[in-house]
Amino acid sequence: MVIEMDSIVKDIAKETSMEISLEQRISEKISSLYGLDPHEANVDQIYKATATVVNEILRDKRKAFNTKVRDQKQRRVYYISMEFLMGKSLKNNVNNLGIVDELTNVLKGLGVTLEDLYEREPDAALGNGGLGRLGACYLDGLASQDYPAMGFSIRYEYGLFKQKIVDGYQTELPDVWLPGGEVWLSKRRDKACNVKFDGYVEEKTIDGKVIYDYKDYNEVEAVPYDMMVSGGNSDAISVLRLWRSRNIRKFDLNSFTQGDYAKATQEYTDADLISKVLYPSDNHYQGKTLRLKQQYFLCSASVQNIINDHIRYYGDIRKLAKYSVIHINDTHPTLSIPEIVRILMDDHRLSFDEAWDITKNMVNYTNHTVLSEALEKWSEELIQRKLPRIYMIIKQIDQRFCDEAKCLGVSNEELNNLRIIHNGEVRMANMCVIASGKVNGVSALHTDIIKNNLFNGFYKIYPDKFVNVTNGIAYRRWLCQSNPALCNYLDSLIGPEYRQDAKNLEKLLAFKDDESVLKKLDEIKYQNKCTFAKYLYKKFGIVVDPTTRFDVQVKRLHEYKRQLLNVLKIIALLTDLEEDPYRQITPQTYIFGAKAASTYYIAKDIILLINSLATEIQNRPEIRNKLNVVFVEDYNVTTAEVLMPASEVSEQISLAGKEASGTGNMKFMINGALTFGTEDGANVEIHQEVGDDNVFIFGMRDYQVSELWQKGYNAQWYYDNNYIIKRVLDRLDRGFNGKSFSNIKHYLLNQYPVADPYMCLADFDDYMRVYYQMDEAYNDRMRWNKMSLVNIAKAGIFSADRSIREYADNIWNLKKVK
Ligand code: 26Q
């Protein structure tokens, strides 16, 4: 049946540009790029030639798809995001084009394997974590279902930093990805445009019309690079358009001739800086000028591009919202809103009212966080200075909203919470809610929280604006490509239809009591654990025993995600063993992976703690054999692809109400790991899908968290009244691998220098209680395997295909291209 899928895709490929054999095309590419005979080429050259050929096939396919979109006069969606965490492209594209077998054969002739080529490709890490990976999964979902879509972001020269652990400490190295990654980028000089900063605006009246004359600005050129994103078994290709900033005048000749060489080249470096590097903070806002410039650079270039293309294809500016819909991924691209108004008013001479009407009909916004430190509030003065015309428009939007809110009966006091500009700050989330047709949260619980808390004032006046779209994952990447052993078995058991529609995974439920199936699932998991163990050894020299339980927490390091709570549990188990070396314990390996933003000090201390604990245990074989801890350096998309299939326990232990959704939880689930987590984000829906018997839930619910916080969280009380907590915290004083962690004990006890706002100790007892339940279930192998089977079977709803259909139907009003 897989072959059947292959042949359909091959037909499409043939219609485009596959008449010449792949072998011939790759040979010719090696010859034209390097002047070599194919057999003289090294792996790197073969990788580049192959990637270039695959990319050309995708470009032809995109061209054919584009023609259809235009002929059918289809509305398009433009997904604007500061982040797309794409990972590698070759494997995904080769699978989606159905050319795995053919390519394998060609490469065999050249003495290399597909795996060799996959290893050559660097990850495109143009994102921090969940939000960026979601954008990447959605481009896949859009292409897979024939929706016309384009993503917009920045072509960061350096993506998310590479993490290196030195003596237990995180250090950061620049992520140099372009040399190997640029084969996937096609420069589009024809689509370049300029973005303006600084200067001032003069208002003039000509023929009774007010004209805004923008003067003395600095201009930066935006040059796009397109990356093709294929989907599974479909005609569509999504395009990710990445903007690079360039100086317009290569040289300030005036300053040069006056002998001011620094000034002559200064502008060059300033302009270049905009697309230099991705900000590495996740769920945390800092009001840096360069970040604001990055955001406006992305918004202005993208909106100009959207409007120019609209005019070219459809002519009539008033029909802009009919053919284009923009999605704003969190508030980072909020400036797209005033930018649309600016272009419609200043370049197309529409009135503010007309421009605002069109804007409101084409913009929607997803909120990804309720953490107050992540909400963007830019200084009014900074925006006025860097973007004077945009500032005027924001003021006008704000004024318009005030008028409307007053008509709707909003009190002056309430209005202060809802206005865009307040107390010298520009609140981006408020601008997004005011301008958007729809605002969505990313899980059922999270959407309730934004309706009832974060955006309650808006919800009261615009109840219909708020909708939920639970996140989803590109499961063809996260299951079909990452876990071939499981998928081959699923094909034979339930047929391959689940590869097209993930809901078909439910067919697996018919086998939930079939012992031979459960045994086979166990064997596959074991094989995947061996594969991961080999990967760890080869890459980092770390030894793990695949016969132990793999208990995994991989995600960005953040206090609210509570890696610390997991560590406290491990220390509790360790102190048990230290007290009684003969104590029975299920052999288990804790696997951590996490990057901390470079200036997030407590997060870095937690990384040091995990590494010190890991090193101490690794030096004590009597402990290591029962209770091992490893920290996987530089956790990224590629590591995740090897780790998910090998995982058995998925730690999702954020403080309830803080994790908007989580998407790692879904990747674990579909690979048969069991969730050990709080009722937070999408865990709530995972729980709902699999039922009480197939998940391990503990801890306070979100409303209990609020109650406790209001009542006052007294960490010391837990220390004084729970001897295990006391023992664990005192063990931190003694420390690990020669380092004391009294600072973390103080943190947990709500003392100087910082406090624990995520109340680890309040959930500790229940976490341990459920740990022992989980442990018991694990030791009943058939029970565990059955739970695992149910999780795989019920994971279909968390497909990005489903999320994208909901966006298309309920938010974008977007139709598939026939
Ligand atoms: C903002 C301003 C300045 C600099 C950086 C930022 C910034 C950057 C990244 C703020 C937030 C982020 C990332 C947020 C994020 O990844 N949120 C996650 O989104 C996922 C997809 O919806 C959810 O599953 C996670 O729960 C949520 O934490």
Side-chain angles (χ1 to χ4, degrees):
M1 294 298 265
V2 183
I3 297 166
E4 205 176 279
M5 252 176 60
D6 276 10
S7 66
I8 300 168
V9 184
K10 267 183 202 155
D11 285 346
I12 299 163
K14 261 195 202 123
E15 274 167 31
T16 52
S17 61
M18 291 270 296
E19 287 87 355
I20 318 166
S21 78
L22 209 51
E23 184 177 10
Q24 212 177 334
R25 292 185 70 161
I26 293 173
S27 300
E28 282 168 13
K29 196 55 72 185
I30 292 173
S31 163
S32 68
L33 285 176
Y34 306 106
L36 291 176
D37 190 70
H39 294 278
E40 297 169 317
N42 63 28
V43 190
D44 203 44
Q45 289 163 329
I46 299 172
Y47 157 68
K48 285 207 171 127
T50 307
T52 309
V53 167
V54 170
N55 197 38
E56 283 169 5
I57 297 170
L58 295 174
R59 280 165 61 179
D60 289 343
K61 223 181 140 180
R62 170 71 185 185
K63 213 167 109 195
F65 180 68
N66 250 346
T67 309
K68 276 208 272 184
V69 179
R70 243 171 278 147
D71 290 350
Q72 296 178 21
K73 296 205 160 183
Q74 291 269 17
R75 193 177 208 207
R76 271 176 211 267
V77 64
Y78 298 98
Y79 197 92
I80 308 186
S81 175
M82 285 291 282
E83 308 191 6
F84 283 92
L85 189 46
M86 303 299 287
K88 299 188 199 247
S89 288
L90 182 62
K91 188 176 184 179
N92 189 46
N93 290 331
V94 165
N95 273 277
N96 286 338
L97 288 171
I99 54 173
V100 173
D101 293 342
E102 193 181 351
L103 189 56
T104 306
N105 268 334
V106 175
L107 296 177
K108 207 173 185 180
L110 301 177
V112 296
T113 65
L114 254 179
E115 284 301 324
D116 292 334
L117 298 203
Y118 295 156
E119 276 177 26
R120 306 310 293 183
E121 182 179 353
D123 274 33
L126 309 182
N128 274 289
L131 167 146
R133 184 54 229 174
L134 190 78
C137 284
Y138 282 178
L139 291 181
D140 177 294
L142 283 158
S144 297
Q145 295 180 89
D146 290 316
Y147 288 110
M150 186 178 257
F152 282 110
S153 194
I154 292 177
R155 178 188 166 284
Y156 300 107
E157 196 172 322
Y158 304 103
L160 183 63
F161 66 85
K162 293 253 179 226
Q163 180 189 53
K164 191 127 195 69
I165 303 297
V166 180
D167 282 341
Y169 293 86
Q170 167 180 298
T171 57
E172 300 95 27
L173 296 171
D175 168 51
V176 183
W177 73 285
L178 278 171
E182 70 191 353
V183 283
W184 298 105
L185 300 178
S186 313
K187 186 171 178 175
R188 295 293 305 268
R189 269 235 66 94
D190 56 315
K191 299 273 177 189
C193 59
N194 293 347
V195 177
K196 297 170 182 170
F197 296 93
D198 312 308
Y200 62 95
V201 178
E202 266 181 17
E203 277 186 50
K204 292 181 192 156
T205 309
I206 299 176
D207 297 336
K209 254 197 139 175
V210 183
I211 304 290
Y212 301 92
D213 197 3
Y214 190 8
K215 294 197 153 151
D216 246 12
Y217 48 78
N218 290 313
E219 242 176 337
V220 172
E221 189 183 23
V223 184
Y225 290 72
D226 286 356
M227 184 187 276
M228 303 295 136
V229 182
S230 60
N233 195 20
S234 72
D235 288 352
I237 298 281
S238 300
V239 173
L240 173 58
R241 183 157 284 174
L242 300 169
W243 297 102
R244 178 186 195 181
S245 63
R246 304 294 284 168
N247 184 38
I248 291 174
R249 289 159 296 161
K250 283 273 173 288
F251 219 75
D252 177 356
L253 202 58
N254 234 344
S255 307
F256 185 73
T257 47
Q258 284 166 24
D260 190 347
Y261 303 132
K263 186 151 183 270
T265 50
Q266 184 197 332
E267 250 185 327
Y268 175 76
T269 47
D270 281 359
D272 257 21
L273 211 58
I274 294 178
S275 60
K276 194 58 92 187
V277 61
L278 167 78
Y279 273 85
S281 41
D282 179 273
N283 273 301
H284 188 80
Y285 153 77
Q286 296 158 298
K288 295 270 194 291
T289 305
L290 179 59
R291 169 77 184 191
L292 181 73
K293 284 170 81 172
Q294 287 187 331
Q295 293 185 181
Y296 181 66
F297 172 74
L298 167 64
C299 294
S300 178
S302 307
V303 171
Q304 288 183 56
N305 188 157
I306 293 165
I307 295 181
N308 288 342
D309 280 358
H310 170 81
I311 294 291
R312 178 132 42 96
Y313 299 135
Y314 302 109
D316 185 352
I317 190 68
R318 285 167 211 276
K319 292 204 171 130
L320 179 62
K322 181 173 174 198
Y323 292 113
S324 317
V325 56
I326 288 180
H327 203 82
I328 297 185
N329 198 25
D330 215 293
T331 53
H332 320 152
T334 303
L335 293 170
S336 305
I337 295 162
E339 180 66 4
I340 302 171
V341 176
R342 182 189 73 78
I343 296 175
L344 295 184
M345 287 179 74
D346 299 0
D347 298 351
H348 295 273
R349 300 278 169 243
L350 298 191
S351 68
F352 174 79
D353 287 355
E354 291 169 313
W356 182 233
D357 226 42
I358 292 173
T359 307
K360 282 194 300 179
N361 280 319
M362 67 184 289
V363 173
N364 305 285
Y365 149 67
T366 299
N367 172 277
H368 294 266
T369 184
V370 297
L371 300 184
S372 56
E373 67 266 32
L375 297 178
E376 291 188 278
K377 297 180 187 111
W378 289 95
S379 131
E380 188 179 354
E381 183 277 328
L382 179 67
I383 293 197
Q384 182 170 23
R385 180 157 47 82
K386 297 308 295 178
L387 309 166
R389 178 67 184 121
I390 289 298
Y391 174 71
M392 292 170 76
I393 291 167
I394 295 174
K395 283 195 78 153
Q396 213 164 348
I397 296 172
D398 193 37
Q399 191 52 53
R400 163 62 57 100
F401 170 70
C402 287
D403 298 343
E404 186 178 310
K406 278 184 190 145
C407 288
L408 292 168
V410 174
S411 70
N412 279 339
E413 194 192 334
E414 178 77 327
L415 193 55
N416 281 338
N417 297 325
L418 305 186
R419 287 189 66 159
I420 301 171
I421 303 176
H422 186 63
N423 273 347
E425 288 177 327
V426 179
R427 298 181 290 200
M428 303 308 235
N430 290 9
M431 191 172 357
C432 283
V433 177
I434 288 165
S436 291
K438 296 280 184 216
V439 174
N440 76 287
V442 289
S443 72
L445 176 69
H446 170 63
T447 301
D448 280 348
I449 293 173
I450 64 176
K451 283 185 195 171
N452 300 325
N453 285 307
L454 188 65
F455 296 141
N456 185 249
F458 287 116
Y459 179 58
K460 283 195 270 191
I461 49 176
Y462 308 127
D464 298 337
K465 244 188 215 206
F466 293 85
V467 291
N468 175 247
V469 183
T470 298
N471 282 168
I473 57 167
Y475 75 99
R476 277 168 290 267
R477 177 183 281 257
W478 293 105
L479 175 69
C480 304
Q481 290 160 32
S482 301
N483 199 342
L486 178 57
C487 288
N488 288 338
Y489 186 53
L490 291 178
D491 287 342
S492 69
L493 217 51
I494 58 171
E497 290 80 12
Y498 71 91
R499 291 170 182 265
Q500 195 60 34
D501 177 352
K503 280 306 263 179
N504 285 312
L505 285 168
E506 281 201 11
K507 292 179 191 166
L508 196 53
L509 286 178
F511 299 93
K512 74 178 181 353
D513 296 309
D514 185 327
E515 275 210 16
S516 68
V517 171
L518 298 178
K519 271 216 175 92
K520 182 74 187 162
L521 288 179
D522 206 8
E523 270 168 43
I524 291 169
K525 182 62 79 179
Y526 178 72
Q527 286 310 322
N528 288 334
K529 287 165 75 180
C530 292
T531 307
F532 182 70
K534 280 184 209 142
Y535 171 86
L536 268 192
Y537 184 70
K538 190 171 156 206
K539 221 167 157 209
F540 307 108
I542 296 176
V543 177
V544 292
D545 176 354
T547 64
T548 61
R549 177 169 70 224
F550 281 9
D551 186 315
V552 185
Q553 189 173 19
V554 284
K555 45 183 81 245
R556 285 298 291 256
L557 212 136
H558 205 295
E559 289 159 273
Y560 83 83
K561 295 178 187 280
R562 299 201 295 191
Q563 280 92 351
L564 249 187
L565 180 58
N566 194 357
V567 173
L568 297 183
K569 177 187 68 190
I570 300 168
I571 298 175
L573 299 173
L574 172 69
T575 50
D576 280 347
L577 284 175
E578 286 176 337
E579 210 173 69
D580 172 10
Y582 297 103
R583 198 182 163 103
Q584 285 293 314
I585 171 172
T586 309
Q588 47 196 296
T589 299
Y590 286 92
I591 299 170
F592 288 89
K595 289 183 183 178
S598 39
T599 54
Y600 191 174
Y601 298 109
I602 179 72
K604 286 187 146 180
D605 280 348
I606 295 168
I607 289 179
L608 177 64
L609 169 63
I610 299 170
N611 277 293
S612 305
L613 181 62
T615 307
E616 161 132 0
I617 287 177
Q618 276 151 31
N619 291 331
R620 294 166 66 182
E622 78 288 0
I623 303 278
R624 186 183 61 211
N625 294 333
K626 300 174 181 165
L627 176 69
N628 198 4
V629 176
V630 298
F631 186 93
V632 183
E633 191 177 83
D634 198 43
Y635 175 65
N636 58 19
V637 172
T638 296
T639 308
E641 288 169 1
V642 198
L643 179 54
M644 294 297 166
S647 299
E648 295 177 289
V649 180
S650 154
E651 300 267 359
Q652 307 298 338
I653 59 177
S654 51
L655 179 66
K658 303 296 180 194
E659 188 71 274
S661 160
T663 44
N665 46 5
M666 302 168 185
K667 295 161 199 162
F668 282 108
M669 178 189 185
I670 205 166
N671 281 286
L674 302 192
T675 303
F676 187 3
T678 49
E679 288 274 12
D680 200 12
N683 298 353
V684 176
E685 286 150 270
I686 291 177
H687 181 185
Q688 222 164 48
E689 284 298 310
V690 301
D692 292 343
D693 292 344
N694 297 298
V695 66
F696 302 99
I697 297 290
F698 73 96
M700 293 178 283
R701 305 285 300 266
D702 64 311
Y703 55 88
Q704 295 169 315
V705 168
S706 313
E707 280 163 19
L708 179 59
W709 191 247
Q710 245 144 46
K711 192 182 98 188
Y713 166 59
N714 180 358
Q716 186 71 39
W717 184 88
Y718 297 91
Y719 179 83
D720 294 338
N721 289 281
N722 182 326
Y723 77 95
I724 300 178
I725 289 183
K726 181 172 185 321
R727 198 173 62 172
V728 168
L729 263 55
D730 293 346
R731 185 70 182 76
L732 286 169
D733 286 329
R734 266 175 57 209
F736 306 99
N737 194 35
K739 288 192 182 83
S740 166
F741 289 93
S742 302
N743 57 336
I744 289 189
K745 176 181 177 183
H746 287 145
Y747 166 83
L748 287 165
L749 286 176
N750 254 337
Q751 292 168 6
Y752 186 79
V754 266
D756 168 24
Y758 301 102
M759 305 192 283
C760 287
L761 302 187
D763 272 343
F764 179 82
D765 209 30
D766 208 37
Y767 188 34
M768 291 309 292
R769 179 183 66 81
V770 178
Y771 163 79
Y772 289 108
Q773 289 181 0
M774 184 274 284
D775 191 54
E776 194 186 324
Y778 186 81
N779 289 317
D780 180 348
R781 293 312 297 155
M782 284 309 128
R783 178 177 163 208
W784 184 271
N785 293 331
K786 185 169 160 179
M787 294 173 80
S788 173
L789 177 147
V790 173
N791 272 268
I792 300 168
K794 289 289 192 173
I797 192 151
F798 301 110
S799 158
D801 298 347
R802 189 267 314 147
S803 312
I804 286 297
R805 279 194 299 273
E806 290 182 21
Y807 277 103
D809 295 344
N810 306 335
I811 298 183
W812 299 331
N813 189 18
L814 196 68
K815 301 276 172 289
K816 295 184 181 192
V817 175
K818 294 274 177 303

